[in-house]
Amino acid sequence: MKTKISFLTVSVLIFTIIVSSCNPKKQNYSYFQNSGEIFHTSYHIKYAYKRSLEDEILAELDRFEQSLNPFRENTVITKINSNIPVKPDSLFMEVFNKATEVSRMTDGKFDITASPLIDAWGFGFRNMDSITPEIIDSLKEFVGYDKIRIDSEGNVVKSDPRLQLNTSAISKGYACDLVARLFDSYGIENYMIEIGGEIVTKGVNDKGVCWRIGVDKPIDDSTGMQHELQTILSLCDKSLATSGNYRNFYVKDGKKYAHTIDPQTGYPSEQDILGATVIAEDCMTADAYATAFMASGLEKSREIARKIPGLHYYFIYVKPDSTLDIAYSEGFEQFFAN
């Protein structure tokens, strides 16, 4: 459905030592930082606690992978894709239900069954010259969120056995939520979880203020080497996700478009949004809608967002004259850092 490249610069200070918490009620707590790679991307996690929870974090991420990693053998989603009988676990069900909800709210612009279309076009649409209408039509026969359901007994039912699921457009956000729930179970009041550009925040950072997230200025730079901050966001107790990249686009008839596949048509989307930042109460929701907005376009996305309580957006889009501009939802000003 899209090339998942964040255009956020996460304001995470990399510490080699443990910094004392500024919260007077948690003087015995310290801010720990764990970082590494998972799901073919990086993660940075900071939290105030009495000890490191790295082992617990990795165990929770592995629990996620055992359910929702389509590239790992014997996971729940792999068995479903292979038509091997399996009873979906609670993690799969939560993601599947949210994906279905967002698909309905966006009239199918978000669809976790669209990976055959995405794979056919190739990364960056490298296969564009070899795609034919016949290929697209044949693939669309087994693409569509309404072609799979969970029956009353909890079994997966496909209308076509060739249907494949890939939750990459929602999974990093959900993984952030799982780690956040882990921290909440330990009573942790201050944390920031970032996986591949998707973020969950709670409380304050080690400076005693809301977590700072930087958004890059929209400058034309396909190399991605130049960075200037457009604005800095201040997040407490909110989740944030991004989709698209205005540094990574294709040009058709002199106009720029993001590398996004429209799951309904099966063809590259020609919408005006090049990058979407979404803030919501949970990161799975933010992640899914950031993806959907890329294929929906500015006006349709505004219409959708108005129907979702607590959802805010910040779009970088291309105007008819091919210049870039910014649009954000009413009330988004509350997130701009002073």
Side-chain angles (χ1 to χ4, degrees):
M1 196 179 303
K2 64 185 173 81
T3 301
K4 184 73 173 183
I5 305 176
S6 171
F7 62 84
L8 287 185
T9 302
V10 182
S11 300
V12 181
L13 297 178
I14 308 299
F15 284 89
T16 56
I17 59 174
I18 298 171
V19 184
S20 297
S21 169
C22 296
N23 188 336
K25 295 181 181 180
K26 301 293 182 183
Q27 296 269 341
N28 59 323
Y29 282 10
S30 298
Y31 273 85
F32 289 82
Q33 175 163 303
N34 300 132
S35 60
E37 292 188 4
I38 197 165
F39 318 145
H40 305 291
T41 190
S42 62
Y43 68 86
H44 300 88
I45 301 173
K46 289 188 69 175
Y47 51 98
Y49 197 54
K50 57 188 176 184
R51 65 177 178 87
S52 171
L53 292 174
E54 184 170 19
D55 289 343
E56 291 85 346
I57 292 168
L58 291 176
E60 192 67 2
L61 294 176
D62 185 67
R63 189 169 75 96
F64 165 89
E65 286 213 278
Q66 292 287 350
S67 176
L68 290 156
N69 188 339
F71 307 109
R72 188 169 171 175
E73 291 184 4
N74 297 318
T75 65
V76 172
I77 196 170
T78 298
K79 290 179 179 178
I80 290 171
N81 285 342
S82 302
N83 299 306
I84 298 172
V86 61
K87 196 70 101 176
D89 60 5
S90 61
L91 279 72
F92 176 89
M93 289 300 300
E94 191 170 2
V95 170
F96 181 83
N97 288 336
K98 175 60 70 172
T100 301
E101 172 193 312
V102 176
S103 294
R104 290 171 177 162
M105 289 295 295
T106 61
D107 296 325
K109 294 300 185 183
F110 180 84
D111 196 330
I112 60 173
T113 73
S115 55
L117 294 168
I118 299 169
D119 294 342
W121 286 97
F123 182 78
F125 302 160
R126 63 175 180 267
N127 301 331
M128 183 175 286
D129 293 338
S130 62
I131 294 294
T132 65
E134 291 75 20
I135 291 175
I136 297 302
D137 288 344
S138 66
L139 292 174
K140 286 175 65 178
E141 290 180 7
F142 53 95
V143 169
Y145 75 93
D146 56 349
K147 296 177 180 178
I148 183 171
R149 63 184 177 86
I150 309 296
D151 67 16
S152 60
E153 297 181 356
N155 300 307
V156 176
V157 180
K158 299 180 183 180
S159 64
D160 190 312
R162 296 173 295 173
L163 187 142
Q164 300 283 297
L165 297 178
N166 187 320
T167 61
S168 61
I170 192 174
S171 58
K172 288 197 290 294
Y174 183 59
C176 289
D177 290 334
L178 289 178
V179 176
R181 293 174 194 175
L182 172 70
F183 286 170
D184 291 343
S185 72
Y186 279 88
I188 298 175
E189 298 179 0
N190 303 303
Y191 58 74
M192 191 282 301
I193 303 154
E194 180 264 323
I195 301 177
E198 323 304 9
I199 298 169
V200 174
T201 66
K202 184 176 182 179
V204 297
N205 62 19
D206 54 284
K207 303 299 183 185
V209 297
C210 290
W211 300 90
R212 298 303 200 244
I213 312 297
V215 178
D216 280 353
K217 182 175 291 187
I219 56 176
D220 239 353
D221 172 34
S222 60
T223 68
M225 299 300 291
Q226 301 178 41
H227 294 276
E228 293 181 47
L229 285 181
Q230 173 73 32
T231 189
I232 298 175
L233 304 181
S234 177
L235 295 186
C236 282
D237 306 319
K238 294 290 183 183
S239 297
L240 178 150
T242 68
S243 182
N245 193 332
Y246 49 75
R247 302 172 189 277
N248 184 20
F249 49 80
Y250 74 98
V251 178
K252 180 179 178 181
D253 299 327
K255 191 173 181 179
K256 300 171 185 174
Y257 300 101
H259 286 121
T260 303
I261 296 296
D262 186 325
Q264 292 178 314
T265 67
Y267 287 87
S269 174
E270 296 185 0
Q271 298 294 345
D272 45 9
I273 295 178
L274 296 185
T277 297
V278 175
I279 295 174
E281 296 302 317
D282 65 276
C283 204
M284 176 168 58
T285 296
D287 201 1
Y289 279 105
T291 301
F293 290 156
M294 294 298 298
S296 299
L298 184 61
E299 294 308 318
K300 181 65 174 178
S301 295
R302 283 172 163 163
E303 179 184 329
I304 294 168
R306 284 193 288 267
K307 301 176 184 178
I308 315 299
L311 188 138
H312 304 269
Y313 61 79
Y314 185 99
F315 297 146
I316 294 174
Y317 70 99
V318 61
K319 297 195 294 185
D321 63 1
S322 290
T323 60
L324 301 185
D325 206 348
I326 291 168
Y328 50 83
S329 54
E330 183 179 356
F332 196 90
E333 294 89 347
Q334 66 184 293
F335 301 113
F336 291 129
N338 296 326

